[in-house]
Amino acid sequence: MKLSQFKFRLPNDKIALYPRSYNPNTKLYDRDGAKLMVLHRKTGEIEHRTFKDILDYFDEGDAFVFNDTRVFPARLYGQKEKTNARIEVFLLRELNEEMRLWDVLVDPARKIRIGNKLYFGPDQSIVAEVIDNTTSRGRTLRFLVDGPHDEFKERLYSLGEAPIPDDVRNQRPAEYMDHEMFQTIYARYEGAVTAPSTGLHFSRELMKRMEIKGVNQAFLTMHAGLGNFRSIDVEDLTKHKNDSEQMFVRKETCDIVNTAKQNGHKVCAVGSTTLRALETAAGPGGILKEFEGWTNRFIFPPYEFSVADAFVINFQLPLTTMLMLVTAFGDYDYVMKAYKEALKSDYLFGTYGDAMLIID
Protein backbone atom coordinates (compact mmCIF):
# COMPACT_ATOMS: atom_id res chain seq x y z
CA MET A 1 0.00 0.00 0.00
CA LYS A 2 1.04 3.58 -0.61
CA LEU A 3 1.16 6.55 1.76
CA SER A 4 -1.16 8.58 -0.47
CA GLN A 5 -3.96 6.05 0.07
CA PHE A 6 -4.26 7.28 3.66
CA LYS A 7 -4.83 10.92 2.82
CA PHE A 8 -8.21 12.54 3.41
CA ARG A 9 -9.41 16.06 4.16
CA LEU A 10 -9.85 16.68 7.88
CA PRO A 11 -11.10 20.17 8.80
CA ASN A 12 -9.64 21.70 11.96
CA ASP A 13 -13.06 21.81 13.60
CA LYS A 14 -13.20 18.00 13.42
CA ILE A 15 -10.12 17.70 15.67
CA ALA A 16 -11.18 17.40 19.31
CA LEU A 17 -9.53 20.02 21.52
CA TYR A 18 -11.13 18.58 24.66
CA PRO A 19 -13.07 15.41 25.51
CA ARG A 20 -16.56 15.59 23.98
CA SER A 21 -18.38 16.11 27.30
CA TYR A 22 -15.88 18.61 28.76
CA ASN A 23 -17.47 21.68 30.35
CA PRO A 24 -14.98 24.60 30.32
CA ASN A 25 -16.86 26.37 33.11
CA THR A 26 -16.99 23.54 35.62
CA LYS A 27 -13.91 21.66 34.30
CA LEU A 28 -16.00 18.48 34.55
CA TYR A 29 -16.41 15.78 31.91
CA ASP A 30 -17.40 12.14 31.48
CA ARG A 31 -14.52 9.99 30.27
CA ASP A 32 -16.95 7.54 28.68
CA GLY A 33 -19.14 10.24 27.13
CA ALA A 34 -17.65 10.06 23.63
CA LYS A 35 -19.40 8.78 20.53
CA LEU A 36 -18.65 5.20 19.48
CA MET A 37 -18.91 3.89 15.95
CA VAL A 38 -19.16 0.09 15.77
CA LEU A 39 -17.94 -1.77 12.68
CA HIS A 40 -19.07 -5.38 12.24
CA ARG A 41 -16.50 -7.06 10.01
CA LYS A 42 -18.62 -10.09 9.14
CA THR A 43 -21.73 -8.18 8.03
CA GLY A 44 -20.32 -4.80 7.01
CA GLU A 45 -22.86 -3.09 9.28
CA ILE A 46 -22.02 0.26 10.90
CA GLU A 47 -23.68 1.31 14.17
CA HIS A 48 -23.63 4.63 16.00
CA ARG A 49 -23.52 4.35 19.80
CA THR A 50 -21.92 6.05 22.80
CA PHE A 51 -18.78 4.78 24.48
CA LYS A 52 -20.73 3.82 27.59
CA ASP A 53 -22.39 1.12 25.45
CA ILE A 54 -19.18 -0.73 24.59
CA LEU A 55 -19.83 -3.58 27.03
CA ASP A 56 -23.00 -4.48 25.09
CA TYR A 57 -20.68 -6.21 22.62
CA PHE A 58 -18.84 -8.37 25.16
CA ASP A 59 -19.74 -11.27 27.45
CA GLU A 60 -18.47 -12.95 30.58
CA GLY A 61 -15.08 -14.52 29.92
CA ASP A 62 -14.05 -12.00 27.25
CA ALA A 63 -10.94 -9.92 27.94
CA PHE A 64 -9.87 -6.33 27.36
CA VAL A 65 -6.14 -5.59 27.14
CA PHE A 66 -4.99 -2.12 28.23
CA ASN A 67 -1.68 -0.25 28.08
CA ASP A 68 -0.89 0.93 31.63
CA THR A 69 1.99 3.24 30.74
CA ARG A 70 2.05 6.55 32.61
CA VAL A 71 2.64 9.88 30.85
CA PHE A 72 4.98 12.34 32.51
CA PRO A 73 4.87 16.15 31.99
CA ALA A 74 7.52 16.09 29.30
CA ARG A 75 7.33 19.59 27.83
CA LEU A 76 8.98 22.46 29.69
CA TYR A 77 10.56 25.80 28.90
CA GLY A 78 13.94 27.16 29.89
CA GLN A 79 16.08 30.20 29.26
CA LYS A 80 19.43 30.12 27.55
CA GLU A 81 22.31 31.63 29.49
CA LYS A 82 23.35 35.19 28.56
CA THR A 83 20.71 35.73 25.85
CA ASN A 84 17.69 34.63 27.96
CA ALA A 85 16.20 33.14 24.77
CA ARG A 86 13.14 30.98 25.51
CA ILE A 87 13.87 27.34 24.66
CA GLU A 88 11.35 24.51 24.56
CA VAL A 89 12.76 21.29 26.01
CA PHE A 90 10.88 18.04 25.45
CA LEU A 91 12.03 15.30 27.83
CA LEU A 92 12.21 11.91 26.12
CA ARG A 93 13.78 9.65 28.73
CA GLU A 94 16.18 9.62 31.63
CA LEU A 95 19.50 8.10 30.61
CA ASN A 96 21.32 8.02 33.96
CA GLU A 97 19.62 8.65 37.29
CA GLU A 98 22.80 9.26 39.28
CA MET A 99 24.30 11.69 36.77
CA ARG A 100 20.93 13.38 36.02
CA LEU A 101 21.33 12.73 32.28
CA TRP A 102 18.30 13.13 29.99
CA ASP A 103 17.68 12.56 26.31
CA VAL A 104 15.67 15.57 25.07
CA LEU A 105 14.50 17.50 22.03
CA VAL A 106 15.07 21.26 21.91
CA ASP A 107 13.43 24.01 19.89
CA PRO A 108 14.80 26.17 18.33
CA ALA A 109 17.65 23.68 17.98
CA ARG A 110 19.95 26.00 16.03
CA LYS A 111 20.52 28.06 19.17
CA ILE A 112 21.55 25.17 21.41
CA ARG A 113 25.11 23.87 21.25
CA ILE A 114 27.32 21.68 23.41
CA GLY A 115 28.40 23.60 26.48
CA ASN A 116 25.34 25.88 26.62
CA LYS A 117 23.49 26.11 29.90
CA LEU A 118 19.70 26.31 30.30
CA TYR A 119 17.87 27.66 33.36
CA PHE A 120 14.42 26.47 34.44
CA GLY A 121 11.81 27.70 36.88
CA PRO A 122 10.76 31.17 38.04
CA ASP A 123 13.88 31.39 40.21
CA GLN A 124 16.06 29.61 37.60
CA SER A 125 17.16 27.21 40.32
CA ILE A 126 17.31 24.20 38.00
CA VAL A 127 20.27 24.36 35.65
CA ALA A 128 21.14 21.97 32.81
CA GLU A 129 24.22 21.77 30.60
CA VAL A 130 24.17 20.50 27.02
CA ILE A 131 26.77 17.74 26.80
CA ASP A 132 25.97 16.11 23.44
CA ASN A 133 24.15 16.51 20.12
CA THR A 134 22.24 13.33 19.22
CA THR A 135 20.13 14.38 16.20
CA SER A 136 19.25 17.65 14.50
CA ARG A 137 16.92 18.50 17.42
CA GLY A 138 18.15 15.94 19.92
CA ARG A 139 20.44 16.82 22.81
CA THR A 140 21.73 15.18 25.98
CA LEU A 141 21.29 17.36 29.05
CA ARG A 142 23.02 17.00 32.41
CA PHE A 143 21.01 18.65 35.16
CA LEU A 144 23.33 20.32 37.66
CA VAL A 145 21.15 19.70 40.69
CA ASP A 146 22.15 18.24 44.05
CA GLY A 147 19.98 16.38 46.51
CA PRO A 148 17.85 13.23 46.38
CA HIS A 149 16.78 12.08 42.95
CA ASP A 150 13.08 11.93 43.85
CA GLU A 151 13.12 15.56 44.97
CA PHE A 152 14.88 16.64 41.76
CA LYS A 153 12.38 14.77 39.60
CA GLU A 154 9.42 16.23 41.49
CA ARG A 155 10.80 19.75 41.02
CA LEU A 156 11.46 19.12 37.32
CA TYR A 157 8.01 17.68 36.67
CA SER A 158 6.35 20.56 38.51
CA LEU A 159 7.62 22.83 35.73
CA GLY A 160 6.37 20.64 32.89
CA GLU A 161 3.24 20.67 30.75
CA ALA A 162 1.18 17.66 29.78
CA PRO A 163 2.66 16.74 26.37
CA ILE A 164 -0.53 17.07 24.34
CA PRO A 165 0.06 16.44 20.61
CA ASP A 166 0.60 19.23 18.11
CA ASP A 167 -2.79 18.82 16.43
CA VAL A 168 -4.32 20.05 19.71
CA ARG A 169 -1.54 22.40 20.77
CA ASN A 170 -1.63 24.23 17.44
CA GLN A 171 -5.16 25.37 18.31
CA ARG A 172 -4.88 25.93 22.07
CA PRO A 173 -2.15 25.94 24.74
CA ALA A 174 -1.76 23.11 27.23
CA GLU A 175 -3.86 23.67 30.36
CA TYR A 176 -3.68 22.41 33.92
CA MET A 177 -6.64 20.07 33.28
CA ASP A 178 -4.60 18.28 30.61
CA HIS A 179 -2.56 16.66 33.37
CA GLU A 180 -5.72 14.71 34.27
CA MET A 181 -7.39 14.43 30.87
CA PHE A 182 -4.20 13.19 29.17
CA GLN A 183 -3.74 10.29 31.60
CA THR A 184 -5.67 7.01 31.81
CA ILE A 185 -7.22 6.15 35.18
CA TYR A 186 -5.20 2.92 35.29
CA ALA A 187 -1.81 4.46 34.38
CA ARG A 188 0.89 2.81 36.47
CA TYR A 189 4.39 2.61 34.97
CA GLU A 190 5.98 5.95 34.08
CA GLY A 191 7.69 6.30 30.74
CA ALA A 192 5.34 7.57 28.01
CA VAL A 193 5.64 10.97 26.37
CA THR A 194 2.19 10.67 24.83
CA ALA A 195 -0.97 9.07 26.16
CA PRO A 196 -2.42 5.81 24.84
CA SER A 197 -5.42 7.92 23.89
CA THR A 198 -8.10 5.25 23.42
CA GLY A 199 -7.71 4.32 27.06
CA LEU A 200 -8.73 7.85 28.07
CA HIS A 201 -12.38 6.84 27.45
CA PHE A 202 -12.44 4.26 30.23
CA SER A 203 -13.98 5.63 33.42
CA ARG A 204 -13.94 4.04 36.87
CA GLU A 205 -17.65 3.33 36.48
CA LEU A 206 -17.10 1.57 33.14
CA MET A 207 -14.23 -0.50 34.55
CA LYS A 208 -16.43 -1.51 37.50
CA ARG A 209 -19.28 -2.51 35.17
CA MET A 210 -16.76 -4.58 33.22
CA GLU A 211 -15.71 -6.34 36.41
CA ILE A 212 -19.32 -7.02 37.45
CA LYS A 213 -20.14 -8.46 34.02
CA GLY A 214 -17.20 -10.85 34.28
CA VAL A 215 -15.21 -9.32 31.44
CA ASN A 216 -11.53 -9.67 32.33
CA GLN A 217 -9.00 -6.85 32.41
CA ALA A 218 -5.38 -7.47 31.40
CA PHE A 219 -2.58 -4.91 31.35
CA LEU A 220 0.66 -4.64 29.43
CA THR A 221 3.07 -1.72 29.22
CA MET A 222 4.31 0.05 26.13
CA HIS A 223 5.92 3.44 26.70
CA ALA A 224 4.38 5.38 23.83
CA GLY A 225 6.87 7.67 22.12
CA LEU A 226 6.78 10.60 19.72
CA GLY A 227 7.30 8.22 16.82
CA ASN A 228 3.52 7.70 16.83
CA PHE A 229 3.22 11.25 15.48
CA ARG A 230 6.27 11.35 13.24
CA SER A 231 5.41 12.07 9.63
CA ILE A 232 6.09 9.36 7.05
CA ASP A 233 8.32 10.62 4.25
CA VAL A 234 8.19 7.65 1.85
CA GLU A 235 5.37 6.72 -0.52
CA ASP A 236 6.26 3.01 -0.36
CA LEU A 237 5.24 1.94 3.16
CA THR A 238 7.58 -1.05 3.13
CA LYS A 239 10.43 1.44 3.38
CA HIS A 240 9.15 3.19 6.53
CA LYS A 241 10.76 2.37 9.87
CA ASN A 242 9.00 3.01 13.17
CA ASP A 243 10.85 4.34 16.20
CA SER A 244 11.48 1.70 18.86
CA GLU A 245 9.38 1.73 22.04
CA GLN A 246 10.00 -0.16 25.27
CA MET A 247 7.36 -2.72 26.25
CA PHE A 248 6.60 -5.33 28.89
CA VAL A 249 4.12 -8.22 28.75
CA ARG A 250 3.88 -10.07 32.07
CA LYS A 251 2.78 -13.61 32.94
CA GLU A 252 -0.57 -12.55 34.45
CA THR A 253 -1.56 -10.85 31.20
CA CYS A 254 -0.51 -13.87 29.15
CA ASP A 255 -2.62 -16.15 31.36
CA ILE A 256 -5.74 -13.96 31.03
CA VAL A 257 -5.44 -13.55 27.26
CA ASN A 258 -4.54 -17.17 26.51
CA THR A 259 -7.32 -18.52 28.72
CA ALA A 260 -9.86 -16.31 26.97
CA LYS A 261 -8.71 -17.46 23.53
CA GLN A 262 -8.56 -21.13 24.47
CA ASN A 263 -12.15 -20.96 25.75
CA GLY A 264 -13.46 -19.28 22.62
CA HIS A 265 -13.88 -15.80 24.14
CA LYS A 266 -13.08 -12.47 22.54
CA VAL A 267 -9.88 -10.50 23.21
CA CYS A 268 -10.20 -6.75 22.66
CA ALA A 269 -7.09 -4.58 22.25
CA VAL A 270 -7.51 -1.04 23.56
CA GLY A 271 -5.56 1.32 21.32
CA SER A 272 -2.77 1.05 18.76
CA THR A 273 0.09 0.60 21.23
CA THR A 274 -1.68 -2.34 22.86
CA LEU A 275 -2.40 -4.02 19.54
CA ARG A 276 1.20 -3.62 18.35
CA ALA A 277 2.48 -4.96 21.66
CA LEU A 278 0.23 -8.02 21.44
CA GLU A 279 1.49 -8.76 17.93
CA THR A 280 5.09 -8.31 19.05
CA ALA A 281 4.69 -10.78 21.91
CA ALA A 282 2.57 -13.33 20.05
CA GLY A 283 3.98 -16.81 19.52
CA PRO A 284 2.87 -19.63 17.22
CA GLY A 285 -0.88 -20.14 17.16
CA GLY A 286 -1.50 -16.68 18.60
CA ILE A 287 -0.35 -17.72 22.08
CA LEU A 288 0.76 -14.65 24.00
CA LYS A 289 4.21 -14.96 25.58
CA GLU A 290 6.00 -12.92 28.23
CA PHE A 291 8.11 -10.17 26.74
CA GLU A 292 10.50 -7.50 27.96
CA GLY A 293 12.34 -5.37 25.45
CA TRP A 294 11.82 -2.98 22.54
CA THR A 295 9.67 -3.06 19.44
CA ASN A 296 9.39 -1.03 16.26
CA ARG A 297 6.53 -3.10 14.84
CA PHE A 298 4.86 -1.25 11.96
CA ILE A 299 1.56 -2.71 10.79
CA PHE A 300 -0.25 -1.75 7.59
CA PRO A 301 -2.54 -3.66 5.19
CA PRO A 302 -2.54 -6.48 4.39
CA TYR A 303 -1.78 -8.07 7.77
CA GLU A 304 -3.11 -11.13 9.57
CA PHE A 305 -3.57 -10.55 13.30
CA SER A 306 -2.98 -13.43 15.68
CA VAL A 307 -4.23 -12.36 19.15
CA ALA A 308 -7.00 -9.74 19.20
CA ASP A 309 -10.50 -10.46 17.90
CA ALA A 310 -11.74 -6.92 18.56
CA PHE A 311 -10.10 -3.52 18.52
CA VAL A 312 -11.17 -0.15 19.90
CA ILE A 313 -9.32 2.99 18.87
CA ASN A 314 -9.90 6.72 18.41
CA PHE A 315 -10.51 8.23 14.99
CA GLN A 316 -7.07 8.94 13.60
CA LEU A 317 -5.57 11.76 11.56
CA PRO A 318 -4.65 11.36 7.88
CA LEU A 319 -1.32 9.83 6.83
CA THR A 320 -0.59 8.37 10.28
CA THR A 321 0.71 4.94 11.23
CA MET A 322 -2.28 4.56 13.56
CA LEU A 323 -4.72 4.95 10.66
CA MET A 324 -2.77 2.31 8.74
CA LEU A 325 -3.06 -0.05 11.69
CA VAL A 326 -6.84 0.49 11.87
CA THR A 327 -7.29 -0.31 8.18
CA ALA A 328 -5.15 -3.42 8.57
CA PHE A 329 -7.47 -4.70 11.31
CA GLY A 330 -10.79 -3.63 9.86
CA ASP A 331 -10.14 -3.80 6.07
CA TYR A 332 -9.00 -0.73 4.16
CA ASP A 333 -12.15 -0.10 2.11
CA TYR A 334 -14.49 -0.73 5.05
CA VAL A 335 -12.60 1.58 7.42
CA MET A 336 -12.18 4.41 4.91
CA LYS A 337 -15.91 4.21 4.13
CA ALA A 338 -16.59 4.47 7.88
CA TYR A 339 -14.27 7.49 8.14
CA LYS A 340 -16.26 9.27 5.42
CA GLU A 341 -19.43 8.55 7.35
CA ALA A 342 -17.80 9.80 10.56
CA LEU A 343 -16.95 13.13 8.92
CA LYS A 344 -20.58 13.54 7.88
CA SER A 345 -21.92 12.46 11.29
CA ASP A 346 -20.07 14.91 13.55
CA TYR A 347 -17.49 12.49 14.95
CA LEU A 348 -14.38 14.10 16.42
CA PHE A 349 -10.85 12.96 15.60
CA GLY A 350 -7.54 12.77 17.45
CA THR A 351 -6.35 12.28 21.01
CA TYR A 352 -9.48 13.69 22.67
CA GLY A 353 -11.78 12.49 19.90
CA ASP A 354 -14.41 9.80 19.50
CA ALA A 355 -13.81 6.07 19.13
CA MET A 356 -14.37 3.17 16.77
CA LEU A 357 -14.93 -0.46 17.82
CA ILE A 358 -14.11 -3.10 15.19
CA ILE A 359 -15.58 -6.50 15.96
CA ASP A 360 -16.71 -9.63 14.14
Side-chain angles (χ1 to χ4, degrees), residues 249 254 257-258 261 277-291 297 303-307:
V249 179
C254 295
V257 170
N258 292 334
K261 289 184 69 66
L278 289 174
E279 288 301 304
T280 298
I287 300 299
L288 191 63
K289 296 185 175 182
E290 294 178 66
F291 185 97
R297 180 66 62 99
Y303 185 91
E304 186 173 340
F305 291 85
S306 56
V307 180

Short mmCIF file of all heavy atoms in Angstrom, two decimals, residues 249 254 257-258 261 277-291 297 303-307:
data_model
loop_
_atom_site.label_atom_id
_atom_site.label_comp_id
_atom_site.label_asym_id
_atom_site.label_seq_id
_atom_site.Cartn_x
_atom_site.Cartn_y
_atom_site.Cartn_z
N VAL A 249 5.31 -7.37 28.65
CA VAL A 249 4.12 -8.22 28.75
C VAL A 249 4.42 -9.26 29.83
O VAL A 249 5.36 -10.05 29.70
CB VAL A 249 3.79 -8.92 27.42
CG1 VAL A 249 2.56 -9.80 27.58
CG2 VAL A 249 3.57 -7.89 26.32
N CYS A 254 -0.52 -12.71 30.06
CA CYS A 254 -0.51 -13.87 29.15
C CYS A 254 -1.56 -14.89 29.57
O CYS A 254 -2.29 -15.44 28.73
CB CYS A 254 0.87 -14.51 29.14
SG CYS A 254 2.17 -13.46 28.46
N VAL A 257 -5.18 -13.58 28.70
CA VAL A 257 -5.44 -13.55 27.26
C VAL A 257 -5.51 -14.97 26.70
O VAL A 257 -6.44 -15.31 25.94
CB VAL A 257 -4.35 -12.74 26.54
CG1 VAL A 257 -4.44 -12.91 25.02
CG2 VAL A 257 -4.46 -11.27 26.91
N ASN A 258 -4.56 -15.81 27.07
CA ASN A 258 -4.54 -17.17 26.51
C ASN A 258 -5.72 -18.01 26.98
O ASN A 258 -6.28 -18.79 26.21
CB ASN A 258 -3.22 -17.86 26.88
CG ASN A 258 -2.03 -17.22 26.19
OD1 ASN A 258 -2.17 -16.61 25.12
ND2 ASN A 258 -0.85 -17.32 26.79
N LYS A 261 -8.75 -16.93 24.90
CA LYS A 261 -8.71 -17.46 23.53
C LYS A 261 -8.98 -18.96 23.51
O LYS A 261 -9.71 -19.45 22.65
CB LYS A 261 -7.34 -17.15 22.90
CG LYS A 261 -7.13 -15.67 22.58
CD LYS A 261 -5.82 -15.43 21.88
CE LYS A 261 -5.82 -15.99 20.48
NZ LYS A 261 -6.77 -15.31 19.57
N ALA A 277 1.78 -4.19 20.63
CA ALA A 277 2.48 -4.96 21.66
C ALA A 277 2.04 -6.42 21.65
O ALA A 277 2.86 -7.34 21.78
CB ALA A 277 2.24 -4.34 23.04
N LEU A 278 0.74 -6.65 21.50
CA LEU A 278 0.23 -8.02 21.44
C LEU A 278 0.84 -8.77 20.25
O LEU A 278 1.23 -9.94 20.38
CB LEU A 278 -1.29 -8.01 21.32
CG LEU A 278 -2.08 -7.60 22.57
CD1 LEU A 278 -3.57 -7.49 22.25
CD2 LEU A 278 -1.85 -8.58 23.73
N GLU A 279 0.92 -8.10 19.11
CA GLU A 279 1.49 -8.76 17.93
C GLU A 279 2.98 -9.02 18.11
O GLU A 279 3.50 -10.03 17.63
CB GLU A 279 1.23 -7.92 16.69
CG GLU A 279 -0.23 -7.94 16.24
CD GLU A 279 -0.72 -9.34 15.93
OE1 GLU A 279 -0.11 -10.02 15.09
OE2 GLU A 279 -1.71 -9.77 16.55
N THR A 280 3.66 -8.13 18.81
CA THR A 280 5.09 -8.31 19.05
C THR A 280 5.35 -9.53 19.93
O THR A 280 6.31 -10.28 19.73
CB THR A 280 5.68 -7.06 19.72
OG1 THR A 280 5.52 -5.94 18.84
CG2 THR A 280 7.16 -7.24 20.03
N ALA A 281 4.48 -9.72 20.93
CA ALA A 281 4.69 -10.78 21.91
C ALA A 281 3.99 -12.09 21.56
O ALA A 281 4.04 -13.05 22.33
CB ALA A 281 4.22 -10.31 23.29
N ALA A 282 3.31 -12.13 20.43
CA ALA A 282 2.57 -13.33 20.05
C ALA A 282 3.50 -14.42 19.54
O ALA A 282 4.43 -14.17 18.77
CB ALA A 282 1.54 -13.00 18.97
N GLY A 283 3.23 -15.65 19.99
CA GLY A 283 3.98 -16.81 19.52
C GLY A 283 3.15 -17.60 18.52
O GLY A 283 2.09 -17.15 18.07
N PRO A 284 3.61 -18.79 18.15
CA PRO A 284 2.87 -19.63 17.22
C PRO A 284 1.45 -19.91 17.71
O PRO A 284 1.23 -20.11 18.91
CB PRO A 284 3.70 -20.92 17.18
CG PRO A 284 5.09 -20.49 17.56
CD PRO A 284 4.90 -19.39 18.56
N GLY A 285 0.50 -19.88 16.79
CA GLY A 285 -0.88 -20.14 17.16
C GLY A 285 -1.55 -19.01 17.90
O GLY A 285 -2.64 -19.18 18.46
N GLY A 286 -0.91 -17.83 17.91
CA GLY A 286 -1.50 -16.68 18.60
C GLY A 286 -1.40 -16.75 20.11
O GLY A 286 -2.09 -15.99 20.81
N ILE A 287 -0.55 -17.63 20.63
CA ILE A 287 -0.35 -17.72 22.08
C ILE A 287 0.51 -16.54 22.52
O ILE A 287 1.60 -16.31 21.98
CB ILE A 287 0.32 -19.04 22.46
CG1 ILE A 287 -0.56 -20.22 22.03
CG2 ILE A 287 0.59 -19.10 23.96
CD1 ILE A 287 -1.92 -20.24 22.67
N LEU A 288 0.02 -15.80 23.51
CA LEU A 288 0.76 -14.65 24.00
C LEU A 288 1.86 -15.10 24.95
O LEU A 288 1.62 -15.91 25.86
CB LEU A 288 -0.19 -13.69 24.71
CG LEU A 288 0.38 -12.31 25.07
CD1 LEU A 288 0.76 -11.53 23.82
CD2 LEU A 288 -0.64 -11.51 25.90
N LYS A 289 3.06 -14.57 24.76
CA LYS A 289 4.21 -14.96 25.58
C LYS A 289 4.74 -13.74 26.33
O LYS A 289 4.58 -12.60 25.90
CB LYS A 289 5.32 -15.53 24.68
CG LYS A 289 4.93 -16.82 23.98
CD LYS A 289 6.10 -17.39 23.22
CE LYS A 289 5.76 -18.75 22.63
NZ LYS A 289 6.92 -19.36 21.91
N GLU A 290 5.38 -14.01 27.47
CA GLU A 290 6.00 -12.92 28.23
C GLU A 290 7.06 -12.24 27.37
O GLU A 290 7.74 -12.88 26.57
CB GLU A 290 6.63 -13.46 29.52
CG GLU A 290 5.63 -14.01 30.52
CD GLU A 290 6.31 -14.58 31.75
OE1 GLU A 290 6.93 -13.78 32.50
OE2 GLU A 290 6.23 -15.80 31.97
N PHE A 291 7.19 -10.94 27.57
CA PHE A 291 8.11 -10.17 26.74
C PHE A 291 8.62 -8.98 27.53
O PHE A 291 7.87 -8.31 28.23
CB PHE A 291 7.40 -9.68 25.47
CG PHE A 291 8.29 -8.97 24.48
CD1 PHE A 291 8.84 -9.65 23.40
CD2 PHE A 291 8.59 -7.62 24.62
CE1 PHE A 291 9.66 -9.01 22.48
CE2 PHE A 291 9.41 -6.96 23.72
CZ PHE A 291 9.95 -7.66 22.64
N ARG A 297 7.51 -2.45 15.72
CA ARG A 297 6.53 -3.10 14.84
C ARG A 297 5.66 -2.06 14.12
O ARG A 297 5.03 -1.23 14.74
CB ARG A 297 5.64 -4.03 15.67
CG ARG A 297 4.56 -4.80 14.91
CD ARG A 297 5.16 -5.81 13.93
NE ARG A 297 5.94 -6.82 14.61
CZ ARG A 297 5.51 -8.04 14.91
NH1 ARG A 297 4.28 -8.39 14.62
NH2 ARG A 297 6.31 -8.90 15.50
N TYR A 303 -2.44 -7.50 6.59
CA TYR A 303 -1.78 -8.07 7.77
C TYR A 303 -2.76 -9.01 8.46
O TYR A 303 -3.94 -8.69 8.61
CB TYR A 303 -1.35 -6.96 8.74
CG TYR A 303 -0.54 -7.45 9.91
CD1 TYR A 303 0.84 -7.50 9.86
CD2 TYR A 303 -1.17 -7.86 11.09
CE1 TYR A 303 1.59 -7.95 10.95
CE2 TYR A 303 -0.44 -8.31 12.18
CZ TYR A 303 0.94 -8.35 12.10
OH TYR A 303 1.67 -8.80 13.17
N GLU A 304 -2.28 -10.16 8.87
CA GLU A 304 -3.11 -11.13 9.57
C GLU A 304 -2.80 -11.09 11.07
O GLU A 304 -1.68 -11.42 11.49
CB GLU A 304 -2.88 -12.55 9.03
CG GLU A 304 -3.83 -13.58 9.61
CD GLU A 304 -3.70 -14.94 8.94
OE1 GLU A 304 -3.17 -15.00 7.81
OE2 GLU A 304 -4.13 -15.93 9.55
N PHE A 305 -3.77 -10.68 11.86
CA PHE A 305 -3.57 -10.55 13.30
C PHE A 305 -3.75 -11.91 13.98
O PHE A 305 -4.58 -12.73 13.56
CB PHE A 305 -4.55 -9.52 13.88
CG PHE A 305 -4.24 -8.12 13.45
CD1 PHE A 305 -4.73 -7.63 12.23
CD2 PHE A 305 -3.45 -7.29 14.22
CE1 PHE A 305 -4.44 -6.34 11.82
CE2 PHE A 305 -3.15 -6.00 13.82
CZ PHE A 305 -3.65 -5.53 12.61
N SER A 306 -3.00 -12.11 15.07
CA SER A 306 -2.98 -13.43 15.68
C SER A 306 -3.56 -13.48 17.09
O SER A 306 -3.82 -14.57 17.60
CB SER A 306 -1.54 -13.96 15.72
OG SER A 306 -0.68 -13.05 16.39
N VAL A 307 -3.78 -12.34 17.75
CA VAL A 307 -4.23 -12.36 19.15
C VAL A 307 -5.61 -11.73 19.31
O VAL A 307 -6.55 -12.39 19.76
CB VAL A 307 -3.22 -11.66 20.08
CG1 VAL A 307 -3.72 -11.71 21.53
CG2 VAL A 307 -1.85 -12.30 19.98
#
